[in-house]
Amino acid sequence: MRLYVNIDHVATVRQARMTDEPDPVRAAVLAELGGADGITIHLREDRRHIQDRDVRVLMETARTVVNLELASTSEILDLACDLHPYQATLVPEKREEVTTEGGLSMTGASLDATAAAVDRLRSAGVRTALFIDPEEDALRAAEAMGVDAIELHTGEYANTEGEERACQLARLAHAADLGRTLGLDVHAGHGLTYENVAPVAAIESLEELNIGHSIVSRAIFTGMEAAVRDMAAIIHRARAAR
Ligand code: PXP
C-alpha cells in the first residue's frame, strides 16, 4: 500500500502570515525521507494554502510523485495540463467549506463537468482519479468515464464511532472490492489519523492512502520525517496482520 502525504497544511501555516515559511516543498522532502510514496497537494481556486509556485517547485524537486487535487474549473485545469503532475485527483470544492466535505456529485451537470475534466487531463497524459463516496452508482459512473483510479471518501468512517463506524468500514471495503472488480485502482483518504487508520489500511483492495492533517499536526511536535515514518509503520503493520 502506498502512503501519499498531503502537505497543504504546511502552506496553511505559511499563509496565516503571508510569508515564506514554513515551506511546503521542504516538508515534502522530509516526508519523502520518512517514507512517503507520493506528495499530495490541493491547489484550491481561492489559493488559501498551496500557491501556483509551490506546485511548480514541488514538481521539479519531488523524488517521488505528485498527486494534484483540483476542482473541474477551467483555470485550474489549464494549470494542471501545463504542469503535468503524475496524477490529478478531481474533488468537489466550495469556497465556504473548511475542507473537502464529500465526494464528487456523480449525476447531472456535475457529472458532465467531471467527464469533460477527465477528458482534458487524459489528453494531456495525466493519470486521473475521482474522489467519490463509497457508493456503487458513483463507482460505476467513474468506471464509465474511463478514469484510472477512484479515491474513496473516508470522512464518514472517520466521523463515526462504534457500530456506525463498523458499518462505514464495511461500506468502504465493499466499495474497494467493487472498484477492483471494475478494473479501477482504489485509493482512500480524508480524516484518517494515527488512531483510526489501521482498519482502513487492512482493506485488501485499497492501494493508496492520502493523509494530511493528522500527519502535519504530529509533525509540529516530532518533525515531518518521524511523523510520516510513524504513520507508515501503522499502515504496514495493519497490512501484515491481515
Ligand atoms: N483526500 C482528499 C481528496 C482530500 O481533499 C483531502 C484533504 O485535502 C485528503 C485526502 C486528506 O485529508 P486529511 O487532511 O483529513 O488527511
Side-chain angles (χ1 to χ4, degrees):
M1 169 169 275
R2 303 182 295 271
L3 169 61
Y4 282 23
V5 176
N6 182 314
I7 53 167
D8 290 350
H9 294 307
V10 177
T12 301
V13 175
R14 179 191 59 194
Q15 297 310 113
R17 287 292 171 94
M18 299 289 186
T19 177
D20 59 359
E21 64 176 6
D23 181 354
V25 176
R26 287 189 184 200
V29 172
L30 294 171
E32 289 178 334
L33 287 174
D37 300 295
I39 303 297
T40 295
I41 44 174
H42 185 173
L43 185 65
R44 295 186 72 102
E45 266 192 288
D46 62 10
R47 306 299 200 273
R48 68 171 73 155
H49 39 55
I50 294 293
Q51 306 297 305
D52 299 26
R53 177 180 178 277
D54 297 327
V55 187
R56 287 205 176 84
V57 179
L58 183 64
M59 295 277 307
E60 282 172 19
T61 50
R63 301 298 298 260
T64 57
V65 293
V66 175
N67 172 37
L68 180 66
E69 292 176 2
L70 72 163
S72 305
T73 63
S74 59
E75 187 230 345
I76 302 280
L77 278 169
D78 286 348
L79 261 164
C81 292
D82 182 36
L83 293 170
H84 210 278
Y86 166 71
Q87 177 170 283
T89 301
L90 290 164
V91 300
E93 200 174 293
K94 293 191 213 107
R95 275 189 185 249
E96 63 280 10
E97 71 192 354
V98 173
T99 182
T100 317
E101 282 168 355
L104 288 160
S105 161
M106 298 295 283
T107 55
S110 308
L111 182 74
D112 296 342
T114 301
V118 167
D119 279 347
R120 276 208 62 190
L121 290 162
R122 200 190 296 118
S123 338
V126 179
R127 182 182 153 80
T128 51
L130 300 185
F131 184 55
I132 58 173
D133 293 318
E135 280 165 15
E136 181 167 346
D137 289 355
L139 268 86
R140 292 196 182 279
E143 188 232 354
M145 231 179 255
V147 290
D148 299 292
I150 48 167
E151 180 178 338
L152 299 175
H153 179 49
T154 50
E156 285 190 61
Y157 161 81
N159 290 333
T160 49
E161 287 177 357
E163 261 181 49
E164 179 55 20
R165 176 171 283 188
C167 289
Q168 292 296 338
L169 185 66
R171 190 174 164 226
L172 285 167
H174 178 72
D177 288 346
L178 175 62
R180 286 298 284 273
T181 307
L182 295 173
L184 299 163
D185 276 0
V186 188
H187 314 158
H190 210 281
L192 296 176
T193 66
Y194 294 87
E195 291 73 32
N196 70 20
V197 73
V200 175
I203 297 174
E204 182 83 37
S205 300
L206 286 179
E207 290 163 277
E208 178 186 307
L209 295 181
N210 279 278
I211 309 180
H213 187 267
S214 191
I215 292 177
V216 173
S217 301
R218 182 173 290 206
I220 290 171
F221 302 109
T222 68
M224 182 57 94
E225 204 178 324
V228 174
R229 199 170 289 128
D230 290 350
M231 184 61 87
I234 295 171
I235 292 169
H236 294 135
R237 268 202 304 278
R239 290 210 61 92
R242 276 171 304 163

